[in-house]
Amino acid sequence: VMTMATGSVLYLSQQFAMTPFGFSASQAALLMSYLGGMQILSQALVTDAITPKSLYLVTTATISASLLGMGLSPVSSGMFVLWLAPLSVFFHAGNVMLGSLLTLYVPEEEMGTVLGLSIATMTVSQIVTVPAAAELFHLAGFSAVPLAASGFLLGSTVVIYGLGFVPPNIQLLENEGGNTVTVAPAAAQ
């Protein structure tokens, strides 16, 4: 869900830079370097001191705020570049942390499968998101893309929480050997 919402802008950022914002090819290339830098910077935010539910809410809130800001701001290249920073940073940091948390819910021998499925959802989201965002851009203009993405993310989050699909909180403890182990909420008492 987060990948689809964020991807509606990030996957098309180079295209959007040229149309409607008028970047030259070299400026669009610099923008891609800027986004790469934001992805590296995002790793400074990665922490294991947050619960899965809190992480999902914080990531959803920051991504939605970035998308709303982008959609409600005047359509200008400066505002586009400005809003890409928090969108990219919070998406990549949240994505790394959520992917890592997935491994805590499965036996060690299934971690590779879970990480593979997590990465596969990003690929599937590109297949769905890019044509949908491009069509929305052609029908309603640039601002409609981040506004619709934010609405999709917020609405999906309400449904996800309403149906209880968010994993339970877990507790990490060190055992006698100094290894970190995952403990279910009931067992942690």
Side-chain angles (χ1 to χ4, degrees), residues 4 6 18 22 42 50 54 59 64 67 72 86 90 96 101 123 128 135 137 140-141 156 161 166 168 175:
M4 291 178 76
T6 307
M18 293 187 272
S42 73
I50 189 168
S54 298
T59 305
S64 292
L67 289 165
L72 296 173
F90 290 114
V96 167
L101 283 172
T123 304
V128 172
E135 185 64 25
F137 170 72
S156 297
Y161 270 79
V166 177
N175 64 15

Side-chain angles (χ1 to χ4, degrees), residues 36-188:
M38 293 297 107
Q39 188 171 0
I40 291 168
L41 177 65
S42 73
Q43 301 311 298
L45 299 176
V46 174
T47 179
D48 62 358
I50 189 168
T51 67
K53 289 181 181 182
S54 298
L55 173 60
Y56 192 86
L57 286 176
V58 167
T59 305
T60 296
T62 54
I63 289 171
S64 292
S66 299
L67 289 165
L68 281 172
M70 186 179 283
L72 296 173
S73 296
V75 178
S76 73
S77 58
M79 294 307 287
F80 178 62
V81 171
L82 174 82
W83 285 110
L84 279 174
L87 180 65
S88 180
V89 167
F90 290 114
F91 168 69
H92 290 296
N95 196 40
V96 167
M97 289 185 284
L98 287 167
S100 295
L101 283 172
L102 286 174
T103 64
L104 299 175
Y105 292 94
V106 297
E108 188 173 340
E109 61 272 4
E110 294 178 17
M111 285 185 191
T113 302
V114 166
L115 291 174
L117 287 172
S118 176
I119 292 168
T121 62
M122 292 178 69
T123 304
V124 170
S125 74
Q126 287 180 344
I127 293 168
V128 172
T129 302
V130 170
E135 185 64 25
L136 183 58
F137 170 72
H138 290 295
L139 291 173
F142 174 75
S143 294
V145 175
L147 290 174
S150 181
F152 170 75
L153 180 55
L154 291 171
S156 297
T157 299
V158 168
V159 170
I160 287 168
Y161 270 79
L163 296 175
F165 288 148
V166 177
N169 289 330
I170 55 171
Q171 185 175 2
L172 300 177
L173 301 174
E174 265 189 40
N175 64 15
E176 291 101 30
N179 297 320
T180 303
V181 294
T182 305
V183 180

